Amino acid sequence: MTLRDFRGVKDRIVRFRALGTTVVVGDNEVGKSSLVEAFGLVFDLPDDSKSTRIRDIQPVGQDVGPQVTAELSLGGRELTYSKTWLKNRSTELTIVESDGRRQSWTGREAHDEAKRLFDENVDPVLWQTLMVSQGQSLVLPTPADAEPLITAVTAESGTPVDGASMPLVTAVEHEYLRYWTPRGKPTGDFARSAKAVAAAELGSRQALQAMEEVRSDIRRAERLNLDLDDVTVRLAEHLTVVEALRERKQATDEILLRRDSVRSRAETARARLENHTRTRLERERLLDEVERFTKAEAELAARRSDAELVAKTAAEMVQAAEAALAEVVELKDLRRTDVQAAERKVSDLMDRAELDRLIGQQTELIDVRARIAAAGTILDRIKVDDALVAALEDARAAVVEARAALAAGVPEVTVRRLGAEAVELSGTGLEGDVPAELGFDESAEVLVSGELVVGVPGQVEVIVRAGGEAATLRSRVDDAVRREKDLLKKAGVRDVAAARELLRKADTANAELNEARRTEKSLTTGGDPGERIAVLTARLGPADDAEESDGKAAVEGVPGQMSLFEEFVSPHDTLFEVDEPEPDDLSGAQRALEGARHGLAEAERLLADAEFAAAQARKAADEDRSEAQNARARSELAGERLASAVESLEAVRAVLDDDAVSGAESEAMAEVESIVDELTAVQEQADAAGADEVAGELTHALAVATRLQGERDTLRDALRTTEGRLEQSGRDGLATRRDVAELELAAVRTEHDSLERRAAAARRVYETLSRHRAEAQTKYSEPLQSRIEALGRSVYGPSFRIWLDDDLAVAERELDGVRLQVEALSTGAQEQLAIITRLAISHLVSTGEGSVPVIFDDALGWSDKARLRDMGALLGRAGDHGQVIILTCMPDRYEYVPKATFIKLDG
């Protein structure tokens, strides 16, 4: 392929291997996909084409003509086909036949000849199936649509298609598609004929319906005339009744006016009577209030006097209760003083006992702290611990091991003096004590890790040197000995046994130290005894004598011992007599304290009772005083109300006395009774004339008349409309239209019946042929299935199997016993299966004369490293017997394709 001025490509020549795999590598937008596009355009469009596809490939902003040249093998011929569009248009075709003859064409003839050869030798479905455009790598092919593949698998399987050649199949399909869509729906003339029949039937039905509507309108006009006459008669009769009601209403209006006048006078009289009645009731209310307030004022004055007397008595009771309360408070203070003295006595005796206990505890604590100091001194002198002893033992074992290795790995030399001549020994790296000179018949055994010099002065000198490994062994011994010495120095011992003995002593001292510290902790749980002794000594004060308490001598150096014989008697105690002397022991002092506390509790009880009595007296006095105040206030309020009521009564009597009020009410009552009699007479006259019902009857009659008039007008309008339609129908010639519609329907039905018979026949032939093709397809799908499985097993292993559908497309895949629909596979697996299927198709349709190319644009984008390796090997094997072209911007995906030719495209 040669491209010039094609999209972004200025000038490029790409030569693909006729047999093998070619990988075209280039960055995005470098023009890889343009190679496939250019090959399609050069055969599809002539050089004078105005298609937008041609304008799109012209470089933007450049007045140049895109040029494409393709050199290819087609039908056993070698073609060189060149075409230039838009600018300097030209088309050139050169063909070299298999026998060597050469032919050339130019212009439109060249395009037509190239187009003829391409259509004659290239199946368009197969070409699109084996050319995978960018972004289409996941689309699995449908091989059944490619006739060359069907022919190939039929030939390979040896199964004829029951005499149904592809031209016959095509002819049957063509005839079937004249009448039916691929989904079995009517189409073409057959569908149009069916629509014409439906339209004619609709026209016939409409014509018949129009005639039926005319007959219906005639019947409707007759019925409307009858209904209109009936409504007109009823309306005239009803208007007569309405007129009579109007005259009757005029006659009764005068009676109603007179009744309204009497009603108005009656309401005025009733209002006057109500005013006089209210005046009488108000006068009676004022008289009752004056009488009631007079009685209440006398009663409240008596209550006020009684309340004031009670309040005075209560105040005297409060004074007596408060005096008794003061006496009990004084008694409680005396009893509290007694309790405080007893508590101080008990506290002093308890402090003395605590002081004796603390002095003994301090003596024990001094001994324990001496033990702690002794154990700490021992532990401070000992420098070894478990880790150090373990390290010493490891160092000792390392020395022994290194010396054993040295003894086994270095030469052992025995030197013995036999004669009178002196034998001298010297050297380096000698193990053990080596004498400088041997005496007569004396011998020495030496391990030589360095160099040993044995010499007889003036006669012989022997030098023994150890090998290279000996130096290493000697170095290990020196390191082990040096580490052991460092550890012994650190521990401050001469050997491991001494370190173990020190560790044992440290454990004993540590145990003694822990025990002493636990004892010290228990003795100092409540604090340091010395501090407590000092506090208690200061609290007790100087001792009165030095005699023992409880038979014990006084503690030396502890000041503040007190005499336990003090009298504890309250001179104000009026509840308990204390004749006994003050106790000198703790239990006696505690009993005395309990007695004092009992006396205090009794005094507190008496105080509570006295306080309660005083409080009750105060409360009663407050209540009585409040009651007296309330009685005084109520008495004063009653006097004020009485004065106000008397004042109000005198004011209204000044206007109208009591007798005048009663007389005015009687006169108003007589007037109301007279007017009511007159109203009753007028109402009887109105009832006799029916004056109240006449207005309602007239209103109802007018409403009926209005409704009848509306019915009459509606019937007139409907009759006019119906008569108009009948007149129009007479002018339209509906009968003629009905006859014409029936003739048209018969004609289109005849034509449709003929087409329907032909369509049914075409369907029967098509379905029969399709059934036989399906049966045969089941037989000849085996070669394609076998080829796909053979290629797939090289990638997935021996468990790989596939199943084809009716269109020979892969429907299911089985791997390691798991069978899945193709749609359920991962994206990478679907892409790999699509590539394998296309390679299998290419293998089947290839002949001995040439191969069918397979083109992949940007494939294997969803495969992992292992799958890329297996797919690369498969693409390499596919190139052994066909042409495989791969376009990619990711060359790493195809690094595992063996024998591939890589072509690098630069921008």
Side-chain angles (χ1 to χ4, degrees):
M1 292 287 298
T2 302
L3 277 67
R4 292 186 177 88
D5 298 323
F6 192 97
R7 291 192 183 275
V9 178
K10 182 62 178 177
D11 192 352
R12 174 174 295 151
I13 299 176
V14 181
R15 293 182 176 85
F16 304 99
R17 293 175 56 184
L19 187 66
T21 302
T22 304
V23 181
V24 180
V25 180
D27 296 335
N28 292 328
E29 301 183 2
V30 79
K32 302 184 298 297
S33 300
S34 298
L35 296 171
V36 180
E37 182 184 14
F39 189 81
L41 290 175
V42 77
F43 283 98
D44 288 347
L45 300 177
D47 56 22
D48 58 352
S49 174
K50 305 299 182 182
S51 172
T52 55
R53 296 169 61 190
I54 296 301
R55 289 196 297 271
D56 289 343
I57 64 174
Q58 185 181 32
V60 178
Q62 300 183 31
D63 187 18
V64 294
Q67 180 179 349
V68 176
T69 300
E71 298 179 9
L72 65 151
S73 298
L74 191 63
R77 305 176 181 86
E78 298 294 330
L79 277 70
T80 301
Y81 189 26
S82 179
K83 185 173 291 186
T84 304
W85 292 274
L86 300 178
K87 189 77 172 180
N88 299 323
R89 298 193 310 270
S90 66
T91 303
E92 297 178 359
L93 172 65
T94 300
I95 299 177
V96 179
E97 300 287 347
S98 57
D99 56 4
R101 291 183 297 108
R102 178 184 296 270
Q103 293 178 290
S104 297
W105 289 266
T106 59
R108 191 58 177 246
E109 292 182 352
H111 171 79
D112 293 341
E113 181 64 17
K115 181 70 172 174
R116 182 187 68 79
L117 290 175
F118 190 83
D119 293 342
E120 180 181 316
N121 292 277
V122 177
D123 181 84
V125 176
L126 181 62
W127 171 252
Q128 293 298 326
T129 299
L130 298 182
M131 183 179 65
V132 182
S133 302
Q134 191 173 28
Q136 300 296 318
S137 62
L138 297 179
V139 180
L140 271 74
T142 306
D145 296 336
E147 184 176 346
L149 177 63
I150 300 301
T151 303
V153 295
T154 301
E156 186 164 330
S157 64
T159 304
V161 195
D162 295 341
S165 63
M166 291 306 294
L168 174 60
V169 172
T170 303
V172 170
E173 289 180 351
H174 178 72
E175 183 66 16
Y176 173 80
L177 294 176
R178 285 183 57 192
Y179 306 103
W180 307 96
T181 65
R183 294 181 177 271
K185 303 291 184 182
T187 187
D189 293 340
F190 181 43
R192 287 190 292 273
S193 175
K195 291 180 181 179
V197 170
E201 290 176 345
L202 177 61
S204 177
R205 287 196 302 273
Q206 290 175 345
L208 292 174
Q209 183 178 0
M211 290 297 297
E212 183 61 29
E213 289 177 354
V214 170
R215 287 192 288 270
S216 177
D217 285 341
I218 293 173
R219 293 191 296 271
R220 177 178 174 82
E222 294 173 353
R223 186 174 65 254
L224 289 174
N225 275 316
L226 294 175
D227 293 342
L228 181 60
D229 294 340
D230 179 64
V231 170
T232 302
V233 172
R234 286 192 288 124
L235 178 61
E237 294 174 352
H238 190 71
L239 290 176
T240 302
V241 174
V242 170
E243 191 61 31
L245 288 173
R246 281 200 181 99
E247 294 176 356
R248 182 180 170 190
K249 184 176 182 303
Q250 290 176 359
T252 58
D253 285 346
E254 183 180 353
I255 298 174
L256 296 177
L257 287 174
R258 189 165 63 254
R259 185 185 65 182
D260 292 342
S261 175
V262 175
R263 279 181 178 174
S264 175
R265 287 166 49 209
E267 290 175 358
T268 301
R270 287 194 185 96
R272 190 180 299 111
L273 175 61
E274 289 176 357
N275 289 334
H276 289 302
T277 301
R278 281 196 298 272
T279 301
R280 177 180 60 79
L281 295 175
E282 179 65 18
R283 184 66 52 86
E284 291 176 353
R285 185 186 65 79
L286 289 174
L287 290 172
D288 291 341
E289 282 187 354
V290 169
E291 183 179 0
R292 188 174 70 256
F293 288 159
T294 300
K295 293 179 180 179
E297 195 271 338
E299 292 177 358
L300 290 174
R303 291 182 184 177
R304 173 182 177 181
S305 178
D306 295 340
E308 289 176 349
L309 180 59
V310 171
K312 182 179 180 181
T313 303
E316 294 173 354
M317 292 179 66
V318 168
Q319 292 177 358
E322 289 179 347
L325 177 62
E327 293 177 0
V328 176
V329 168
E330 184 179 359
L331 177 63
K332 178 188 173 184
D333 292 339
L334 292 174
R335 292 293 174 263
R336 182 181 293 111
T337 302
D338 295 342
V339 169
Q340 291 173 352
E343 287 177 346
R344 285 195 297 274
K345 186 65 175 180
V346 170
S347 178
D348 290 343
L349 292 174
M350 291 179 67
D351 288 346
R352 176 66 61 186
E354 178 68 10
L355 180 61
D356 294 340
R357 186 186 66 80
L358 290 174
I359 291 174
Q361 182 177 335
Q362 187 179 35
T363 302
E364 184 181 358
L365 183 61
I366 291 172
D367 180 62
V368 168
R369 286 176 174 169
R371 289 165 54 196
I372 292 174
T377 302
I378 293 173
L379 290 175
D380 291 340
R381 289 200 301 265
I382 297 175
K383 300 179 181 180
V384 298
D385 54 14
D386 291 335
L388 187 56
V389 170
L392 281 170
E393 291 176 345
D394 293 342
R396 174 80 286 204
V399 170
V400 173
E401 182 181 351
R403 285 177 173 170
L406 179 64
V410 301
E412 181 178 4
V413 179
T414 302
V415 182
R416 184 175 182 181
R417 177 178 172 181
L418 299 177
E421 299 296 333
V423 177
E424 297 175 352
L425 301 178
S426 62
T428 60
L430 305 180
E431 189 70 18
D433 295 330
V434 181
E437 183 176 341
L438 294 178
F440 179 75
D441 201 23
E442 184 180 1
S443 64
E445 295 180 355
V446 183
L447 290 176
V448 181
S449 59
E451 181 180 84
L452 173 64
V453 180
V454 182
V456 178
Q459 295 184 18
V460 66
E461 183 181 74
V462 178
I463 299 175
V464 180
R465 292 188 180 91
E469 185 180 0
T472 302
L473 296 174
R474 182 64 190 181
S475 175
R476 290 179 181 174
V477 172
D478 293 341
D479 292 341
V481 171
R482 187 183 308 108
R483 174 167 174 75
E484 182 183 26
K485 290 180 178 180
D486 292 341
L487 291 174
L488 290 174
K489 183 179 179 181
K490 180 179 178 181
V493 295
R494 62 180 180 277
D495 53 20
V496 176
R500 292 196 190 99
E501 179 63 21
L502 282 180
L503 183 61
R504 184 188 62 78
K505 291 181 179 180
D507 292 340
T508 302
N510 195 40
E512 176 69 16
L513 178 62
N514 292 334
E515 176 63 25
R517 282 177 175 170
R518 283 194 296 271
T519 304
E520 180 188 28
K521 183 177 181 182
S522 65
L523 293 174
T524 57
T525 301
D528 191 346
E531 297 177 358
R532 183 67 175 160
I533 289 171
V535 172
L536 290 175
T537 302
R539 184 187 302 170
L540 291 174
D544 294 337
D545 54 51
E547 295 182 357
E548 292 183 354
S549 176
D550 295 332
K552 296 182 180 179
V555 180
E556 296 181 359
V558 181
Q561 290 198 28
M562 298 176 59
S563 172
L564 303 180
F565 305 100
E566 293 181 357
E567 301 205 357
F568 185 65
V569 179
S570 174
H572 303 284
D573 194 347
T574 59
L575 295 177
F576 303 99
E577 294 296 334
V578 182
D579 298 329
E580 298 179 359
E582 183 175 330
D584 58 355
D585 60 347
L586 180 60
S587 60
Q590 288 177 339
R591 286 193 300 272
L593 176 60
E594 289 298 323
R597 285 176 177 170
H598 179 71
L600 177 61
E602 184 65 20
E604 288 177 345
R605 183 184 64 76
L606 293 175
L607 177 61
D609 293 342
E611 287 176 345
F612 178 74
Q616 291 297 106
R618 292 191 196 98
K619 181 179 180 182
D622 292 340
E623 291 176 354
D624 294 339
R625 185 168 53 255
S626 177
E627 181 63 26
Q629 292 174 354
N630 290 335
R632 186 183 303 110
R634 287 194 297 270
S635 177
E636 293 174 355
L637 179 61
E640 293 175 358
R641 286 180 177 178
L642 176 59
S644 176
V646 170
E647 183 181 358
S648 298
L649 180 60
E650 291 176 353
V652 296
R653 280 178 175 173
V655 178
L656 190 66
D657 59 15
D658 297 341
D659 295 336
V661 171
S662 299
E665 184 181 12
S666 299
E667 292 176 0
M669 178 66 72
E671 183 182 3
V672 169
E673 291 176 353
S674 174
I675 295 175
V676 167
D677 293 339
E678 183 180 359
L679 179 61
T680 301
V682 175
Q683 184 63 44
E684 290 176 353
Q685 186 179 2
D687 293 341
D692 292 331
E693 292 81 8
V694 171
E697 292 177 359
L698 179 60
T699 301
H700 178 69
L702 290 174
V704 172
T706 302
R707 180 177 59 78
L708 290 175
Q709 288 175 352
E711 290 182 6
R712 182 190 63 185
D713 295 341
T714 301
L715 289 172
R716 282 177 179 174
D717 294 341
L719 181 60
R720 292 192 189 98
T721 302
T722 303
E723 290 175 348
R725 284 202 303 270
L726 289 173
E727 184 178 354
Q728 182 65 34
S729 298
R731 290 196 297 267
D732 290 345
L734 294 180
T736 303
R737 287 173 54 194
R738 179 195 62 192
D739 296 340
V740 172
E742 290 178 350
L743 291 175
E744 290 179 354
L745 176 60
V748 296
R749 274 182 176 168
T750 301
E751 181 181 1
H752 179 68
D753 291 342
S754 176
L755 287 173
E756 188 174 22
R757 288 192 297 272
R758 291 197 296 272
R763 168 176 272 183
R764 283 194 297 274
V765 173
Y766 177 76
E767 291 177 349
T768 302
L769 181 59
S770 298
R771 185 175 65 256
H772 285 284
R773 285 192 68 200
E775 294 173 355
Q777 190 177 47
T778 302
K779 299 177 183 178
Y780 63 68
S781 64
E782 193 278 331
L784 178 60
Q785 180 176 348
S786 299
R787 192 63 58 90
I788 294 175
E789 289 180 347
L791 295 176
R793 289 187 181 110
S794 66
V795 176
Y796 296 100
S799 64
F800 176 80
R801 291 188 62 194
I802 55 101
W803 282 265
L804 305 178
D805 59 14
D806 294 339
D807 294 328
L808 299 184
V810 177
E812 298 178 0
R813 186 207 73 179
E814 180 178 316
L815 189 62
D816 296 330
V818 178
R819 184 169 176 175
L820 296 173
Q821 296 284 339
V822 170
E823 294 79 7
L825 299 177
S826 67
T827 304
Q830 291 186 37
E831 182 185 45
Q832 296 154 17
L833 195 55
I835 293 173
I836 292 172
T837 302
R838 288 182 170 89
L839 293 178
I841 294 172
S842 175
H843 292 178
L844 284 172
V845 299
S846 297
T847 63
E849 298 177 356
S851 64
V852 177
V854 185
I855 301 175
F856 297 106
D857 189 355
D858 195 18
L860 292 180
W862 286 273
S863 298
D864 55 42
K865 198 74 172 179
R867 288 284 185 264
L868 287 175
R869 185 182 294 105
D870 297 335
M871 290 299 295
L874 178 63
L875 290 171
R877 288 193 297 274
D880 293 340
H881 52 78
Q883 186 181 36
V884 180
I885 299 174
I886 300 172
L887 310 175
T888 183
C889 60
M890 302 292 290
D892 294 345
R893 298 177 187 170
Y894 304 96
E895 62 182 354
Y896 301 107
V897 180
K899 298 180 292 185
T901 299
F902 284 81
I903 299 176
K904 175 66 174 177
L905 300 184
D906 296 326

